[in-house]
Amino acid sequence: MPYIIVPPARREELDAAAEARWSAIVEVRPELVTAVELQRRLLVRVMSLKRAIEAGRLPRLSLPPRYLAAKLARGVPALAGEPIPLPVTLLADTLVGLCGELAEGGAGEAAEHIRRVIESGQMDAASLLGASLSRDQNAIRTGAAHRGLAADLVWLVAELTVGPFAYVLQRMIFATGPRTGDPPAGEQRDPVAAALDAWNHGYCPACGSWPAMAEVVNGHRALRCSFCSAAWELPSYACVYCGEEGEPFVTAAPDEERKDRRLEVCSACAGYLKTVDTFVLSPFPLLSIGDLETMDLDMAAMEHGYQRPSLRDFTVKR
Ligand SMILES: [Zn+2]
Ligand SMILES: [Zn+2]
């Protein structure tokens, strides 16, 4: 079953799990205390936005099952190229708030600058958020360059803001209705569920992003989308970026004592993926804590010349 439904957690459970993981990080690596504090402030806003989106009116997407199944069968992520109305007013508040948190949390003037440009309307929040949802790195880079903004920071703040919306969409199209579980006797399997079963790409079937990392539960390697938090498992054990499964693809634990935290590195494409053994898959948005917990793995991979590749481009150029 390649697409995995991650059970959503109740608010108190989510808060408690996040706090426990943050405390554990600081205990082992006290130098990360400021990074943890910033992440806590960012995630409080992200979680509250997620609740507001869930409580509001969700967009009606025109994605008939057969159309969606055919799209997935061509290797195109479900949301790619779809006109999706964003709750801009709701998201823009968080966008500005997150710029403020980042400014106070160490990004300083660079984040303040982004906030001013958005608040003054010099940069259109709706276009920025739309570009983030369609994973259009070029549009965001160009828009940032024109206004003298730090492109990576613009990308990050937009991604943090649109993430909860992408998560809600991902669940709406994949995790609800007849797409889950086995069909009643005598009925055919939902075409989308069947298409998801056949999904064998390293990028997310919902939004097309690469996984932030893999969480391995009971030997099942679940790739976790860095944007919408989707979880999916591939039929083969290979490089998620280029499909290499021969000698150039190596899995190793940089720390001998911690075989539960590994790196998959590929000398064919120079990509790397962090892989950790865990008991449960992280519910949204706790995957970003997992990313912080494994920062040493990123360092180890980058020291050896590996990197995370750019996003694949599914935008339709007209
Ligand atoms: Zn995704
Ligand atoms: Zn590769």
Side-chain angles (χ1 to χ4, degrees), residues 166 170 204-209 225-230 232:
Q170 177 256 114
C204 173
C207 74
S209 305
C225 178
S226 56
F227 184 47
C228 75
S229 231
W232 71 106

Side-chain angles (χ1 to χ4, degrees), residues 239 241-244 266 268-271:
C239 171
Y241 308 114
C242 74
E244 175 65 55
C266 174
C269 70

Side-chain angles (χ1 to χ4, degrees), residues 77-247:
L79 300 174
E82 300 298 333
I84 299 168
L86 286 129
V88 175
T89 316
L90 188 58
L91 300 190
D93 275 350
T94 301
L95 182 68
V96 167
L98 288 169
C99 287
E101 299 291 4
L102 284 163
E104 278 180 44
E109 176 52 28
E112 272 301 331
H113 191 186
I114 299 172
R115 172 157 74 175
R116 282 198 305 275
V117 167
I118 293 167
E119 279 185 323
S120 69
Q122 262 178 285
M123 182 184 251
D124 178 39
S127 314
L128 172 62
L129 298 168
S132 178
L133 181 62
S134 55
R135 316 274 65 208
D136 192 344
Q137 281 180 319
N138 285 336
I140 291 188
R141 237 178 251 139
T142 313
H146 281 166
R147 296 166 183 86
L149 302 172
D152 289 349
L153 203 53
V154 175
W155 176 263
L156 170 71
V157 77
E159 182 168 75
L160 281 169
T161 307
V162 185
F165 184 63
Y167 164 76
V168 169
L169 292 177
Q170 177 256 114
R171 295 191 66 87
M172 200 166 83
I173 54 173
F174 287 163
T176 53
R179 287 163 199 177
T180 58
D182 291 322
E187 280 182 36
Q188 281 208 331
R189 188 140 167 71
D190 174 82
V192 175
L196 282 174
D197 280 351
W199 184 261
N200 64 350
H201 303 284
Y203 50 86
C204 173
C207 74
S209 305
W210 293 118
M213 58 198 299
E215 292 185 318
V216 181
V217 181
N218 292 328
H220 288 276
R221 168 178 172 253
L223 303 177
R224 300 301 312 274
C225 178
S226 56
F227 184 47
C228 75
S229 231
W232 71 106
E233 195 181 348
L234 294 180
S236 57
Y237 191 68
C239 171
V240 294
Y241 308 114
C242 74
E244 175 65 55
E245 48 188 342
E247 267 177 37

Side-chain angles (χ1 to χ4, degrees), residues 29-95:
R29 301 188 59 186
E31 73 276 14
L32 288 180
V33 68
T34 3
V36 164
E37 185 46 39
L38 173 60
Q39 189 175 62
R40 179 184 279 121
R41 293 164 64 162
L42 297 174
L43 287 201
V44 163
R45 286 187 184 263
V46 166
M47 289 194 257
S48 119
L49 176 59
K50 186 200 102 185
R51 290 193 297 272
I53 293 170
E54 285 173 335
R57 200 159 51 86
L58 298 175
R60 291 168 61 94
L61 300 184
S62 173
L63 292 171
R66 294 208 175 275
Y67 163 80
L68 191 49
K71 192 173 178 182
L72 291 167
R74 293 198 311 274
V76 182
L79 300 174
E82 300 298 333
I84 299 168
L86 286 129
V88 175
T89 316
L90 188 58
L91 300 190
D93 275 350
T94 301
L95 182 68

